[in-house]
Amino acid sequence: MGAAEAGAAIVHLHARNPDDGRPDQTPEAFGRFLPNVKQRSGCVVNITTGGAPTMTIEERVRPAATFKPELASLNMGSMNFGLFGLLNRFKDLEHQWERDYLSNKGIIFRNTFADIEHILTTCAENGTRFEFECYDTAHLYNLKYFFDRGLVRPPLFVQTVFGLQGGIGAHPDDVLHMRRTADRLFGDAYRWSVLGAGRNQMPIAAMAAAMGGNVRVGLEDSLWIGPGRPAESNAQQVRQVRQIVEGLGLEVATPDDARRILDLKGGDKVAF
């Protein structure tokens, strides 16, 4: 709730096992906190369909299918998925599953055309809109495939992701390339946002905000608030990026702004 109180218009939510922190994509896990989020905040709730690369597509879509959120994330292509670099920074991991997961260099995050279509059709009657997470240029073209066939409707909420091992890099040229490609493919039919992984979070957010884009921050994407400074909370990162946005003379979007910009329906079909 701290992120919403700090000014986040949208909260992107995962669930974890309270005993060992393992990702938990069961509806029961989400049901423990979703009603509280709805009661205490008017922000847009965005439920993950990514879950974890080790889960089946049926497991990953279940919370969104159950709770019918206004917004859900949707990864737009398969990719190598490497977090093994974090082992050099975090030596004292509490649980063995964390070490096993981070050290695995054989993870492929599967998001085939069939997987993507399964999520879209499963949630078709919910009124749920999607945050289309694009980790590389090909993912934008995958989204164009579904757009051209009428399986997704504008305005598309395109979340371009930078700096994750296995995806596009975090150089300013990479950001410009993804923006130019999205402009060419979708014209005025999309809304652009960025997500920078790790130490790239705030520099990429600042660059995108200056270009008129939206930004996503949080501990899922980066554990840092600055060089060598671990972040205390999601809220701390939201406050920092808000200072960047306001320092550029821009307005911070409210939840109602987000609903209007993304053509959300105010959660009239939300089931939690």
Side-chain angles (χ1 to χ4, degrees):
M1 297 311 303
E5 292 167 357
I10 299 171
V11 290
H12 175 63
L13 301 175
H14 287 247
R16 292 184 177 273
N17 184 305
D19 295 327
D20 63 5
R22 192 186 303 265
D24 187 342
Q25 200 69 0
T26 62
E28 292 77 13
F30 282 81
R32 286 193 285 266
F33 59 79
L34 285 177
N36 189 40
V37 172
K38 183 177 181 180
Q39 290 169 6
R40 295 179 54 190
S41 170
C43 59
V44 176
V45 170
N46 175 356
I47 292 180
T48 182
T49 68
T54 53
M55 298 174 179
T56 67
I57 197 67
E58 290 79 14
E59 290 174 310
R60 287 164 50 189
V61 75
R62 200 165 293 144
T66 300
F67 295 107
K68 304 176 175 59
E70 291 182 82
L71 198 63
S73 64
L74 179 52
N75 295 346
M76 290 310 298
S78 301
M79 59 182 292
N80 291 328
F81 191 80
L83 298 175
F84 41 85
L86 294 175
L87 285 174
N88 298 324
R89 300 181 184 179
F90 301 99
K91 306 291 186 181
D92 301 322
L93 297 173
E94 184 177 354
H95 303 287
Q96 184 60 41
W97 77 265
E98 298 172 296
R99 183 167 300 280
D100 294 341
Y101 183 68
L102 293 181
S103 63
N104 189 347
K105 295 184 179 181
I107 294 177
I108 295 177
F109 203 167
R110 173 188 163 121
N111 296 283
T112 66
F113 287 104
D115 293 336
I116 294 168
E117 188 168 340
H118 176 74
I119 291 177
L120 291 173
T121 55
T122 299
C123 296
E125 301 302 318
N126 292 356
T128 295
R129 303 275 281 154
F130 291 95
E131 172 200 14
F132 297 107
E133 295 192 358
C134 297
Y135 294 77
D136 216 334
T137 313
H139 296 184
L140 293 171
Y141 282 91
N142 292 348
L143 177 57
K144 184 66 160 55
Y145 166 83
F146 288 100
F147 183 55
D148 287 346
R149 282 149 186 80
L151 293 175
V152 297
R153 65 176 176 85
L156 307 173
F157 181 25
V158 178
Q159 185 71 259
T160 47
V161 182
F162 302 92
L164 186 69
Q165 191 74 35
I168 198 168
H171 191 277
D173 286 348
D174 296 318
V175 180
L176 291 171
H177 173 63
M178 291 288 274
R179 176 65 186 271
R180 286 194 298 263
T181 303
D183 281 347
R184 176 166 47 81
L185 292 178
F186 306 116
D188 61 0
Y190 85 106
R191 306 293 177 259
W192 182 51
S193 183
V194 301
L195 181 170
R199 61 184 176 85
N200 305 297
Q201 185 178 78
M202 293 301 168
I204 284 182
M207 179 180 179
M211 295 168 62
N214 301 287
V215 298
R216 168 177 147 177
V217 297
L219 294 175
E220 179 191 352
D221 308 321
S222 175
L223 299 175
W224 311 97
I225 195 67
R229 296 170 53 208
E232 298 173 359
S233 64
N234 292 305
Q236 185 185 28
Q237 293 179 338
V238 172
R239 287 192 294 269
Q240 185 179 59
V241 80
R242 181 171 184 162
Q243 289 178 343
I244 292 172
V245 169
E246 292 176 336
L248 291 169
L250 303 172
E251 293 185 12
V252 176
T254 67
D256 286 343
D257 291 331
R259 290 185 173 97
R260 174 180 51 80
I261 292 168
L262 300 177
D263 192 29
L264 303 177
K265 302 304 181 185
D268 54 319
K269 291 188 177 181
V270 171
F272 55 90

